Every structure is written in C-alpha cells, then in structure tokens.
Amino acid sequence: MLDFGREGQEVSVPGPRRRARPWVTVDVVVVARIHGRLSVLLVNRRNPPFEGCWAIPGGFVEPDEPLEAAARRELREETGYDASDINELGWVHPNPAIQSNRCYTYLARGLTEVGDPEPDPHESFELVRVPLGRIPELIDNREITHALVVTAFKLLDGYKPEP
C-alpha cells in the first residue's frame, strides 16, 4: 500500500520514473435550474491534446488555498458564475499508480452570473448547458470520456444532502 502522506504534502512515487507530485485538483459539477429543468454546465476544451473533451469546470488548487475557495474560483473563471450553495461530493485518487494527488468534486447550485468567464491564457473552451438527464447518455455514447468527469457524475448520483 502506498503512503500518500498528508494532503498537499510532497510525496515520492515509487517506480522507474520516481518524482514528487505535491498537487491537488478540484472539479465542480455545476447544476443549474434553467427554465424549470435541471441542467449542468459543461466545458468543451479546445486545447490540444484535449480538443473536443467535454468536462466540468475544474483545475489546480493553489498552495494554502482552501478547497471550497478553489472550487468557487474555478467556477467563476470558467463559467462567470458564483454559487450560493457549494458542497463537497467526495474525492478520488486519479491514478495512484503514478500520481499522488487527489481530485475533489464539488456540487455548485444557486448560480448567479458575476461576469464573463476568465480562462487562463493557455485555456480555450466553449461553455454549454446540458439537461442533467442527458449526462448518462453522453457518457454511454462516449461523448464524455474524461474519467474524472465520469467519476464526478457518479459521485453526484450518490449524493444525499444532509437533512
């Protein structure tokens, strides 16, 4: 069993390509009620090699940045929205065989438009609204192939808000 150490701590990964990976990522499942229907905001990445890769807003957590703050920042940067309600759905190890990071998934609801998206200089994407009920079809048809996004929707499917 690998010891991942404390969150954010630099950890060496055993194997022929030993290296340290002290990063944490967040993904945000953005659920919005639009015209009475639940929808999600998806990002169509346009940067090689990820062109055409449907994803949800997400990215790296800055050093000493609280996870929820990072989720809110990524939401604002990639969608132009803020959320009145944001909840952690869970976390996964994206690929523990070669990476020591965790990816946390958040659910954002109660959206308010606060400006235009402000992607990083190296990012290019299209933002689209998709009915939440279409997500399983998009996964089954391999239109959504990003493993962490598929996992995020699995976490959303099992989400039970506290009473």
Side-chain angles (χ1 to χ4, degrees):
M1 169 87 100
L2 292 173
D3 177 11
F4 290 95
R6 289 192 347 264
E7 188 63 288
Q9 177 182 359
E10 191 167 295
V11 178
S12 291
V13 179
R17 294 195 221 183
R18 294 180 67 87
R19 57 186 149 163
R21 291 289 188 198
W23 79 88
V24 179
T25 59
V26 294
D27 281 332
V28 185
V29 177
V30 183
V31 177
R33 187 169 296 278
I34 301 168
H35 304 299
R37 295 175 55 179
L38 285 180
S39 296
V40 291
L41 297 179
L42 294 180
V43 176
N44 184 2
R45 304 274 179 208
R46 293 183 176 166
N47 306 69
F50 307 109
E51 293 174 89
C53 182
W54 290 100
I56 54 179
F60 292 105
V61 177
E62 300 296 332
D64 299 320
E65 183 179 29
L67 292 170
E68 183 179 316
R72 285 183 182 280
R73 177 181 48 73
E74 289 294 340
L75 173 64
R76 282 191 303 273
E77 287 177 1
E78 295 192 7
T79 70
Y81 288 90
D82 197 359
S84 63
D85 184 34
I86 191 160
N87 299 90
E88 182 184 321
L89 295 176
W91 61 268
V92 295
H93 288 120
N95 189 353
I98 60 171
Q99 299 170 329
S100 63
N101 67 312
R102 288 183 182 178
C103 180
Y104 289 81
T105 300
Y106 281 82
L107 169 62
R109 296 178 292 193
L111 301 182
T112 303
E113 192 169 3
V114 293
D116 292 329
E118 297 178 6
D120 290 335
H122 65 279
E123 293 180 309
S124 176
F125 54 78
E126 167 191 15
L127 185 65
V128 297
R129 292 181 177 96
V130 176
L132 183 58
R134 283 207 56 222
I135 296 301
E137 171 192 338
L138 296 175
I139 292 170
D140 290 345
N141 292 340
R142 293 185 181 88
E143 293 178 64
I144 295 177
T145 58
H146 189 310
L148 294 175
V149 174
V150 173
T151 300
F153 284 114
K154 176 63 178 164
L155 290 169
L156 177 63
D157 188 47
Y159 177 65
K160 306 284 188 272
E162 294 183 22

Coordinates of all heavy atoms in Angstrom, one line a residue, residues 27-77:
D27 N -12.7 19.6 -9.2 CA -13.7 19.6 -10.2 C -15.0 20.1 -9.7 O -15.3 19.9 -8.5 CB -13.9 18.2 -10.9 CG -12.8 17.8 -11.8 OD1 -12.2 18.7 -12.4 OD2 -12.6 16.6 -11.9
V28 N -15.8 20.9 -10.4 CA -17.0 21.4 -9.9 C -18.1 21.0 -10.9 O -18.1 21.3 -12.1 CB -17.0 23.0 -9.9 CG1 -18.3 23.5 -9.3 CG2 -15.8 23.5 -9.2
V29 N -19.1 20.2 -10.3 CA -20.3 19.8 -11.1 C -21.2 21.0 -10.8 O -21.7 21.3 -9.7 CB -20.9 18.5 -10.6 CG1 -22.2 18.3 -11.3 CG2 -20.0 17.4 -10.7
V30 N -21.5 21.7 -11.9 CA -22.4 22.9 -11.8 C -23.8 22.6 -12.2 O -24.0 22.3 -13.4 CB -21.8 24.1 -12.6 CG1 -22.6 25.3 -12.4 CG2 -20.3 24.3 -12.3
V31 N -24.7 22.6 -11.3 CA -26.1 22.2 -11.5 C -26.9 23.5 -11.5 O -26.9 24.2 -10.5 CB -26.6 21.2 -10.6 CG1 -28.1 20.9 -10.8 CG2 -25.8 19.9 -10.7
A32 N -27.7 23.8 -12.5 CA -28.5 25.0 -12.6 C -29.9 24.6 -12.9 O -30.1 23.7 -13.7 CB -27.9 26.0 -13.6
R33 N -30.8 25.4 -12.4 CA -32.2 25.2 -12.8 C -32.5 26.3 -13.8 O -32.5 27.5 -13.5 CB -33.2 25.4 -11.6 CG -34.6 25.0 -12.0 CD -35.5 24.9 -10.7 NE -35.1 23.8 -9.9 CZ -35.5 22.6 -10.0 NH1 -36.2 22.2 -11.1 NH2 -35.2 21.6 -9.2
I34 N -32.7 25.8 -15.1 CA -32.9 26.7 -16.2 C -34.2 26.4 -16.8 O -34.4 25.3 -17.3 CB -31.7 26.6 -17.2 CG1 -30.4 26.9 -16.5 CG2 -32.0 27.5 -18.4 CD1 -29.2 26.6 -17.3
H35 N -35.1 27.4 -16.8 CA -36.5 27.2 -17.4 C -37.1 26.0 -16.7 O -37.8 25.1 -17.4 CB -36.4 27.0 -18.9 CG -35.8 28.2 -19.6 ND1 -36.3 29.5 -19.5 CD2 -34.7 28.3 -20.4 CE1 -35.5 30.3 -20.2 NE2 -34.6 29.6 -20.7
G36 N -37.0 25.8 -15.4 CA -37.6 24.7 -14.7 C -36.9 23.4 -14.8 O -37.4 22.4 -14.1
R37 N -35.9 23.2 -15.6 CA -35.2 22.0 -15.8 C -33.8 22.0 -15.2 O -33.2 23.1 -15.3 CB -35.1 21.6 -17.2 CG -36.5 21.4 -17.9 CD -36.3 21.2 -19.4 NE -35.4 20.1 -19.7 CZ -35.2 19.7 -20.9 NH1 -35.7 20.3 -21.9 NH2 -34.3 18.7 -21.1
L38 N -33.4 20.9 -14.6 CA -32.0 20.9 -14.1 C -31.1 20.7 -15.2 O -31.3 19.8 -16.1 CB -31.9 19.7 -13.1 CG -32.5 19.9 -11.7 CD1 -32.3 18.7 -10.8 CD2 -31.9 21.2 -11.0
S39 N -30.1 21.5 -15.3 CA -29.0 21.4 -16.3 C -27.7 21.5 -15.6 O -27.5 21.9 -14.5 CB -29.1 22.6 -17.2 OG -30.4 22.6 -17.9
V40 N -26.7 21.1 -16.4 CA -25.3 21.2 -15.9 C -24.6 22.0 -16.9 O -24.9 22.1 -18.1 CB -24.6 19.8 -15.7 CG1 -25.2 19.1 -14.6 CG2 -24.6 19.0 -17.0
L41 N -23.5 22.7 -16.5 CA -22.6 23.5 -17.3 C -21.4 22.6 -17.7 O -20.7 22.1 -16.8 CB -22.2 24.8 -16.7 CG -23.3 25.8 -16.3 CD1 -22.7 27.0 -15.6 CD2 -24.1 26.2 -17.6
L42 N -21.2 22.4 -19.0 CA -20.1 21.6 -19.4 C -19.1 22.5 -20.2 O -19.5 23.5 -20.8 CB -20.5 20.5 -20.4 CG -21.3 19.4 -19.7 CD1 -21.7 18.3 -20.8 CD2 -20.6 18.7 -18.6
V43 N -17.9 22.2 -20.1 CA -16.8 22.9 -20.8 C -16.3 22.0 -21.9 O -15.9 20.9 -21.7 CB -15.7 23.3 -19.8 CG1 -14.6 24.0 -20.5 CG2 -16.2 24.1 -18.7
N44 N -16.3 22.5 -23.2 CA -15.7 21.8 -24.3 C -14.3 22.4 -24.5 O -14.1 23.5 -25.0 CB -16.5 22.0 -25.5 CG -16.0 21.2 -26.7 OD1 -15.0 20.5 -26.6 ND2 -16.7 21.4 -27.8
R45 N -13.3 21.6 -24.1 CA -11.9 22.1 -24.2 C -11.5 22.1 -25.6 O -11.8 21.2 -26.4 CB -11.0 21.1 -23.4 CG -11.3 20.9 -22.0 CD -10.7 21.9 -21.1 NE -11.1 21.7 -19.7 CZ -11.2 22.7 -18.8 NH1 -10.9 23.9 -19.2 NH2 -11.6 22.4 -17.6
R46 N -10.7 23.2 -26.0 CA -10.3 23.3 -27.4 C -8.8 23.3 -27.5 O -8.2 23.6 -28.5 CB -10.8 24.7 -27.9 CG -12.3 24.7 -28.0 CD -12.7 26.0 -28.6 NE -14.2 26.0 -28.9 CZ -14.9 27.0 -29.2 NH1 -14.3 28.2 -29.2 NH2 -16.2 26.9 -29.3
N47 N -8.1 23.0 -26.4 CA -6.6 22.9 -26.4 C -6.1 21.5 -26.7 O -6.6 20.6 -26.1 CB -6.1 23.3 -25.0 CG -6.6 24.6 -24.6 OD1 -7.8 24.7 -24.2 ND2 -5.8 25.6 -24.5
P48 N -5.2 21.4 -27.7 CA -4.6 20.1 -27.9 C -3.8 19.7 -26.7 O -3.3 20.5 -26.0 CB -3.6 20.4 -29.1 CG -4.0 21.7 -29.7 CD -4.7 22.4 -28.6
P49 N -3.8 18.4 -26.3 CA -4.5 17.3 -27.0 C -5.9 17.0 -26.5 O -6.4 15.9 -26.8 CB -3.6 16.1 -26.6 CG -3.2 16.5 -25.2 CD -3.1 18.0 -25.1
F50 N -6.5 18.0 -25.9 CA -7.8 17.7 -25.3 C -9.0 18.3 -26.1 O -10.1 18.5 -25.6 CB -7.9 18.3 -23.8 CG -6.7 17.8 -23.0 CD1 -5.7 18.6 -22.6 CD2 -6.7 16.5 -22.6 CE1 -4.7 18.2 -21.9 CE2 -5.6 16.0 -21.8 CZ -4.6 16.9 -21.5
E51 N -8.8 18.6 -27.3 CA -9.8 19.2 -28.2 C -11.0 18.3 -28.2 O -10.9 17.1 -28.4 CB -9.3 19.4 -29.6 CG -8.2 20.5 -29.7 CD -7.6 20.6 -31.0 OE1 -8.2 21.3 -31.9 OE2 -6.6 19.9 -31.3
G52 N -12.2 18.9 -28.0 CA -13.4 18.1 -28.0 C -13.7 17.3 -26.8 O -14.6 16.5 -26.7
C53 N -12.9 17.5 -25.7 CA -13.1 16.8 -24.5 C -14.1 17.5 -23.6 O -13.8 18.6 -23.1 CB -11.8 16.6 -23.8 SG -11.8 15.7 -22.3
W54 N -15.3 17.0 -23.4 CA -16.3 17.6 -22.6 C -15.9 17.4 -21.1 O -15.6 16.3 -20.7 CB -17.7 17.0 -22.9 CG -18.2 17.4 -24.2 CD1 -18.1 16.7 -25.4 CD2 -18.7 18.7 -24.5 NE1 -18.7 17.4 -26.4 CE2 -19.0 18.7 -25.9 CE3 -19.0 19.8 -23.8 CZ2 -19.6 19.7 -26.6 CZ3 -19.6 20.9 -24.5 CH2 -19.9 20.9 -25.8
A55 N -15.9 18.4 -20.4 CA -15.5 18.4 -19.0 C -16.4 19.3 -18.1 O -17.4 19.9 -18.7 CB -14.1 18.8 -18.8
I56 N -16.1 19.3 -16.9 CA -16.8 20.2 -16.0 C -15.7 21.2 -15.5 O -14.5 21.0 -15.7 CB -17.5 19.5 -14.8 CG1 -16.5 18.6 -14.1 CG2 -18.7 18.7 -15.2 CD1 -17.0 17.9 -12.8
P57 N -16.1 22.4 -15.0 CA -15.1 23.3 -14.6 C -14.2 22.7 -13.5 O -14.7 21.9 -12.7 CB -15.9 24.5 -13.9 CG -17.3 24.4 -14.7 CD -17.5 22.9 -14.9
G58 N -12.9 23.0 -13.6 CA -12.0 22.5 -12.6 C -10.6 22.9 -12.9 O -10.3 23.5 -13.9
G59 N -9.7 22.6 -11.9 CA -8.3 22.9 -12.1 C -7.5 22.7 -10.8 O -8.0 22.0 -9.9
F60 N -6.4 23.3 -10.7 CA -5.5 23.2 -9.6 C -5.8 24.0 -8.4 O -6.3 25.1 -8.6 CB -4.0 23.5 -10.0 CG -3.5 22.5 -11.0 CD1 -3.3 22.9 -12.4 CD2 -3.1 21.3 -10.6 CE1 -2.8 22.0 -13.3 CE2 -2.5 20.4 -11.5 CZ -2.4 20.7 -12.9
V61 N -5.6 23.5 -7.3 CA -5.7 24.2 -6.0 C -4.4 24.9 -5.8 O -3.3 24.3 -5.8 CB -6.1 23.3 -4.8 CG1 -6.2 24.1 -3.5 CG2 -7.4 22.6 -5.1
E62 N -4.4 26.2 -5.5 CA -3.2 27.0 -5.2 C -2.7 26.6 -3.8 O -3.5 26.2 -3.0 CB -3.5 28.5 -5.3 CG -4.0 29.0 -6.6 CD -3.0 28.8 -7.7 OE1 -1.7 28.8 -7.5 OE2 -3.4 28.6 -8.9
P63 N -1.4 26.7 -3.6 CA -0.8 26.5 -2.2 C -1.6 27.3 -1.2 O -1.9 28.5 -1.3 CB 0.6 26.9 -2.3 CG 0.9 26.8 -3.8 CD -0.3 27.2 -4.5
D64 N -2.0 26.6 -0.1 CA -2.7 27.2 1.0 C -4.1 27.7 0.7 O -4.7 28.4 1.5 CB -1.9 28.3 1.7 CG -0.5 27.8 2.2 OD1 -0.5 26.7 2.8 OD2 0.5 28.6 2.0
E65 N -4.6 27.4 -0.5 CA -6.0 27.8 -0.8 C -6.9 26.7 -0.3 O -6.8 25.5 -0.5 CB -6.1 27.9 -2.3 CG -7.4 28.4 -2.8 CD -7.5 28.5 -4.3 OE1 -6.8 27.7 -5.0 OE2 -8.3 29.3 -4.8
P66 N -8.0 27.1 0.5 CA -9.0 26.2 0.9 C -9.7 25.5 -0.3 O -9.9 26.2 -1.4 CB -10.0 27.0 1.7 CG -9.2 28.2 2.1 CD -8.2 28.5 1.0
L67 N -10.0 24.3 -0.2 CA -10.6 23.5 -1.3 C -11.9 24.2 -1.9 O -12.0 24.3 -3.1 CB -10.9 22.1 -0.9 CG -9.7 21.2 -0.7 CD1 -10.1 19.9 0.0 CD2 -8.9 21.0 -1.9
E68 N -12.8 24.6 -1.0 CA -14.0 25.2 -1.4 C -13.7 26.5 -2.2 O -14.4 26.8 -3.2 CB -15.0 25.4 -0.3 CG -16.3 26.0 -0.7 CD -17.3 26.3 0.4 OE1 -17.4 25.4 1.2 OE2 -17.9 27.4 0.4
A69 N -12.8 27.3 -1.7 CA -12.4 28.5 -2.4 C -11.9 28.2 -3.8 O -12.2 29.0 -4.7 CB -11.4 29.3 -1.5
A70 N -11.1 27.2 -3.9 CA -10.6 26.8 -5.2 C -11.7 26.4 -6.2 O -11.7 26.8 -7.3 CB -9.6 25.6 -5.1
A71 N -12.7 25.6 -5.6 CA -13.8 25.2 -6.4 C -14.6 26.5 -6.9 O -15.0 26.6 -8.1 CB -14.7 24.3 -5.6
R72 N -14.8 27.4 -6.0 CA -15.5 28.7 -6.4 C -14.7 29.5 -7.4 O -15.3 30.0 -8.3 CB -15.8 29.5 -5.1 CG -16.9 29.0 -4.3 CD -17.1 29.9 -3.1 NE -18.2 29.4 -2.2 CZ -19.5 29.5 -2.5 NH1 -19.9 30.1 -3.6 NH2 -20.3 29.0 -1.6
R73 N -13.4 29.5 -7.2 CA -12.6 30.3 -8.1 C -12.6 29.7 -9.5 O -12.8 30.4 -10.5 CB -11.1 30.3 -7.6 CG -10.2 31.0 -8.6 CD -8.7 31.1 -8.1 NE -8.2 29.8 -7.6 CZ -7.9 28.7 -8.4 NH1 -8.0 28.9 -9.7 NH2 -7.4 27.6 -7.9
E74 N -12.5 28.3 -9.6 CA -12.6 27.7 -10.9 C -13.9 27.9 -11.6 O -14.0 28.1 -12.8 CB -12.2 26.2 -10.8 CG -10.8 25.9 -10.5 CD -9.8 26.3 -11.6 OE1 -10.3 26.4 -12.8 OE2 -8.6 26.4 -11.4
L75 N -15.0 27.8 -10.7 CA -16.3 28.0 -11.2 C -16.4 29.4 -11.9 O -16.9 29.6 -13.0 CB -17.3 27.9 -10.1 CG -18.8 28.3 -10.4 CD1 -19.4 27.3 -11.4 CD2 -19.6 28.2 -9.1
R76 N -16.0 30.4 -11.2 CA -16.0 31.8 -11.7 C -15.2 32.0 -12.9 O -15.6 32.6 -13.9 CB -15.6 32.8 -10.6 CG -16.6 33.1 -9.6 CD -16.3 34.3 -8.7 NE -15.0 34.1 -8.0 CZ -14.9 33.5 -6.8 NH1 -15.9 33.0 -6.2 NH2 -13.7 33.4 -6.3
E77 N -13.9 31.4 -12.9 CA -13.0 31.6 -14.0 C -13.6 30.9 -15.3 O -13.4 31.5 -16.4 CB -11.7 31.0 -13.7 CG -10.8 31.8 -12.7 CD -9.5 31.1 -12.4 OE1 -9.2 30.0 -12.9 OE2 -8.8 31.7 -11.6

